[in-house]
Amino acid sequence: MKIKRIALILALAMLIGSLSACGYEPRVETPEPEKDDSQVSGTDSVYTRSHYADKIFSLNCDLKSGLNPYETTSTANMDIAPLLYEGLFELKDDFSFENRLCEAFYTNDGKTYKFDIRKGVMFHDGSELTPEDVAASIELARVSGNYADRLSIITAAYVIEGSVYMELTRPNYNLPLLLDVPIVKAGSGEDAVPVGTGPYHYVDAGEYKYLKAFDGHRDFAGLPIERIYLKEYSGGELITAFDSGLIDLVTTSKADINYLEFSGNTESRQKDTTILYFLGVNDQNKFLSDKNRRVLFSSMIDRELLSKDVITAVPTTIPLHPSAYFCSVEYDPFSIREQELEAAGIQYLVEDYDADGMLEFMDLDAGTVEEISLKLVVNKENPTKLEAAHALSESLGERGISVTVTELSWSSYIRALKNKDYDLYYGEVMLTADFDLTQLLCYGGNANYGLYDPKLQSLIYDFNSSGSESKQDAAAALYGYIAENLPIISLMFEIETVYTHRETVSGMAPAAHNIFSDITAWSIDVESF
């Protein structure tokens, strides 16, 4: 096993071994901090500090929120969950999937699925995973706060002759992309820490809480460390704890309301997400009512500015992540290149007709030249969204488009969207890993505010119903239609950043839903910090 033993911890474990034999779980004392006033070269600077690293590997968590993956409201705890629990499948970094607890699956129509469950998988309590555990977990997950939305198309999960069956409300040949939800032992799903099958299991040793490598896991021999300690810090305390080596891995995003910035002697990796930022469009606005002018307007947006200076993100012109395995640049042949914007403006009758430095457009129906003045509404309670909205306004102003930002409280923002009291709104939505746009672009969706386009809805249905052989064609039809008509204007997909101390962790390749993806490829050196 690739587990780096710490001499002091090993000595303590040997000392109290006899107590362990009597059923007593030993409390491993944290080694005394070592002081080292050396110069440390960081990613951005060189600084002097006392070296308080505790020579153990620790993650931040929120124990008050609990480690139940169906119920916890802590993003830190959700990050930890893949160490404790496994799904039928695991999402990879290109938004494809790999089998985990599922041995094989079958569907003829995309509405009824049969899953054969992997044999010999052990729970942390020593019992073996059964199809009944899987069905019970799916039933629990699909009514839970954390997974109900993504599993809303599942109407039932049950067992017949040793296989798990799931029934859907509509065809979806991409269902495995949604099934990386945690599988737990039946009957434990409402416990504070349900019984899982993950590579680590939870240990409460009183003062210390930690995850211990599970010797019943099929990958036990390849795990990079025996114990991962859990500690609790918040706000500025977490920054201090990370800087001093008391916490060894943190995840952050500039989009978070309580964004924390980590620097110093660190290494960072980026983790893609399906969180899309976009501009909702009111097509009742005269300028935005024409699809060609919408394409021209979208092409004027400086997405690189937003995705680098305001929020760490991946720019996009369509609501599909560029890293998705079936994505193609050919899906958006309509975006106008920088050097062609002026000519396109002339073609679509968008020019500075009165030479005042701002653009106007010709309203052919009225036979008049109209000013372009757009109202952009944004939720003022998120500083990053405010910054992005004002950056949009400023950069578009430099191109001759007047955009006025209206800052609203959350309730007023939602009211404005429902009443279409906007020309544009700055929106955010977490798409599912199959990039199903039903909730966003189909009438009645919980993120749809009045958009109704029957052809678009039909294309979304066809995309969701497409198998591997027809996926590319269905995607090309759907995203090509979106790129041509722009019912929304896609801006970027959020990126989360994972920080570790320099040379502490190697081999890490975070996936969208799992920081610890392929953890057997990791090496962890707690002596390097």
Side-chain angles (χ1 to χ4, degrees):
M1 184 176 187
K2 293 190 304 181
I3 294 178
K4 298 183 179 298
R5 310 281 184 176
I6 302 170
L8 180 55
I9 293 179
L10 182 57
L12 287 168
M14 292 174 62
L15 180 63
I16 56 180
S18 59
L19 292 175
S20 298
C22 297
Y24 172 77
E25 178 66 38
R27 187 179 73 183
V28 180
E29 301 292 340
T30 302
E32 287 296 319
E34 298 179 9
K35 191 169 183 179
D36 177 5
D37 293 326
S38 59
Q39 291 277 345
V40 179
S41 296
T43 53
D44 300 314
S45 62
V46 176
Y47 63 98
T48 302
R49 57 150 173 78
S50 293
H51 188 153
Y52 293 115
D54 52 9
K55 305 303 181 185
I56 60 177
F57 191 78
S58 302
L59 302 175
N60 193 51
C61 71
D62 180 3
L63 292 176
K64 294 184 293 296
S65 179
L67 291 174
N68 186 312
Y70 307 126
E71 299 176 357
T72 185
T73 57
S74 166
T75 55
N77 292 3
M78 289 298 287
D79 285 344
I80 292 169
L83 294 172
L84 295 167
Y85 308 103
E86 298 175 291
L88 290 174
F89 304 91
E90 181 177 344
L91 193 67
K92 304 307 291 182
D93 57 6
D94 64 350
F95 298 99
S96 62
F97 65 88
E98 288 184 352
N99 290 31
R100 281 294 176 264
L101 299 181
C102 176
E103 186 68 36
F105 68 95
Y106 317 88
T107 182
N108 292 322
D109 58 3
K111 286 190 68 175
T112 300
Y113 277 79
K114 175 186 175 183
F115 300 90
D116 292 338
I117 305 307
R118 192 169 189 161
K119 305 293 185 182
V121 175
M122 306 306 295
F123 279 114
H124 297 153
D125 66 355
S127 61
E128 186 172 348
L129 173 72
T130 68
E132 286 74 16
D133 296 313
V134 174
S137 296
I138 297 299
E139 284 293 315
L140 184 60
R142 72 185 187 89
V143 296
S144 70
N146 289 332
Y147 298 104
D149 285 345
R150 84 155 82 165
L151 300 183
S152 60
I153 64 170
I154 299 177
T155 59
Y158 52 89
V159 177
I160 297 179
E161 296 181 351
S163 294
V164 176
Y165 287 78
M166 297 185 203
E167 295 182 1
L168 312 185
T169 58
R170 52 181 169 78
N172 187 333
Y173 282 92
N174 307 304
L175 180 64
L177 292 170
L178 309 180
L179 295 179
D180 60 343
V181 300
I183 301 300
V184 304
K185 185 172 182 177
S188 73
E190 296 183 0
D191 294 350
V193 185
V195 180
T197 64
Y200 289 83
H201 66 97
Y202 177 71
V203 177
D204 184 347
E207 183 179 353
Y208 296 98
K209 279 76 175 173
Y210 59 90
L211 308 181
K212 184 177 181 181
F214 175 43
D215 60 8
H217 193 274
R218 59 195 173 278
D219 293 332
F220 173 73
L223 297 177
I225 198 164
E226 183 178 10
R227 292 188 180 188
I228 299 174
Y229 284 81
L230 303 180
K231 301 177 181 179
E232 293 186 87
Y233 298 97
S234 60
E237 291 180 344
L238 179 56
I239 295 177
T240 302
F242 181 74
D243 285 346
S244 60
L246 299 177
I247 292 292
D248 298 288
L249 182 152
V250 291
T251 304
T252 188
S253 169
K254 287 185 178 180
D256 291 343
I257 293 179
N258 300 314
Y259 169 63
L260 299 176
E261 185 169 358
F262 298 90
S263 59
N265 187 36
T266 64
E267 293 176 339
S268 64
R269 285 92 167 173
Q270 293 185 333
K271 181 170 82 75
D272 287 327
T273 75
T274 57
I275 300 173
L276 173 70
Y277 294 92
F278 65 95
L279 295 179
V281 177
N282 186 347
D283 60 7
Q284 299 304 305
N285 175 278
K286 283 187 177 182
F287 174 71
L288 296 172
S289 64
D290 181 81
K291 68 178 184 179
N292 293 320
R293 290 196 293 261
R294 291 198 295 271
V295 170
L296 177 65
F297 176 78
S298 174
S299 301
M300 290 181 173
I301 293 173
D302 190 345
R303 291 172 172 81
E304 292 293 332
L305 169 70
L306 295 175
S307 62
K308 291 181 179 178
D309 294 353
V310 178
I311 176 176
T312 306
V314 179
T316 186
T317 58
I318 56 175
L320 174 65
H321 200 289
S323 295
Y325 71 95
F326 58 89
C327 186
S328 169
V329 293
E330 297 176 0
Y331 292 167
D332 182 9
F334 300 97
S335 289
I336 302 167
R337 292 180 295 181
E338 178 69 28
Q339 62 268 29
E340 298 172 346
L341 283 173
E342 184 176 356
I346 295 172
Q347 178 182 355
Y348 301 136
L349 305 179
V350 179
E351 301 182 62
D352 184 5
Y353 288 98
D354 57 8
D356 66 348
M358 302 299 289
L359 296 175
E360 294 83 32
F361 72 99
M362 181 74 72
D363 184 345
L364 293 178
D365 293 334
T368 58
V369 173
E370 302 286 344
E371 299 285 340
I372 302 173
S373 181
L374 304 175
K375 175 183 176 181
L376 170 60
V377 302
V378 61
N379 173 23
K380 68 179 180 180
E381 295 162 12
N382 186 304
T384 305
K385 290 181 180 178
L386 275 180
E387 185 180 357
H390 285 286
L392 273 168
S393 173
E394 183 178 348
S395 63
L396 287 167
E398 293 172 355
R399 289 187 176 273
I401 301 287
S402 175
V403 177
T404 302
V405 176
T406 300
E407 303 178 7
L408 300 174
S409 67
W410 178 250
S411 59
S412 297
Y413 171 79
I414 295 299
R415 190 180 308 115
L417 268 54
K418 290 180 177 178
N419 295 333
K420 281 194 170 291
D421 185 17
Y422 62 86
D423 298 314
L424 302 163
Y425 69 87
Y426 188 89
E428 170 192 356
V429 63
M430 177 181 285
L431 299 175
T432 48
D434 58 350
F435 295 96
D436 179 4
L437 299 175
T438 300
Q439 297 301 325
L440 178 61
L441 297 182
C442 290
Y443 188 77
N446 58 23
N448 182 298
Y449 293 94
L451 174 66
Y452 178 64
D453 184 334
K455 182 175 181 180
L456 176 58
Q457 293 189 177
S458 176
L459 290 170
I460 291 173
Y461 183 90
D462 290 344
F463 172 76
N464 291 337
S465 304
S466 62
S468 57
E469 294 182 359
S470 58
K471 173 67 69 179
Q472 290 284 355
D473 290 342
L478 170 61
Y479 293 106
Y481 182 84
I482 291 173
E484 181 181 9
N485 294 275
L486 290 184
I488 61 170
I489 296 174
S490 301
L491 299 175
M492 53 197 168
F493 281 97
E494 180 181 324
I495 288 175
E496 294 180 352
T497 303
V498 182
Y499 289 98
T500 58
H501 302 297
R502 188 182 292 269
E503 298 181 353
T504 298
V505 178
S506 61
M508 180 192 298
H513 292 168
N514 186 2
I515 295 171
F516 305 98
S517 179
D518 198 16
I519 193 172
T520 55
W522 288 30
S523 292
I524 297 176
D525 183 2
V526 295
E527 300 288 341
S528 66
F529 181 68

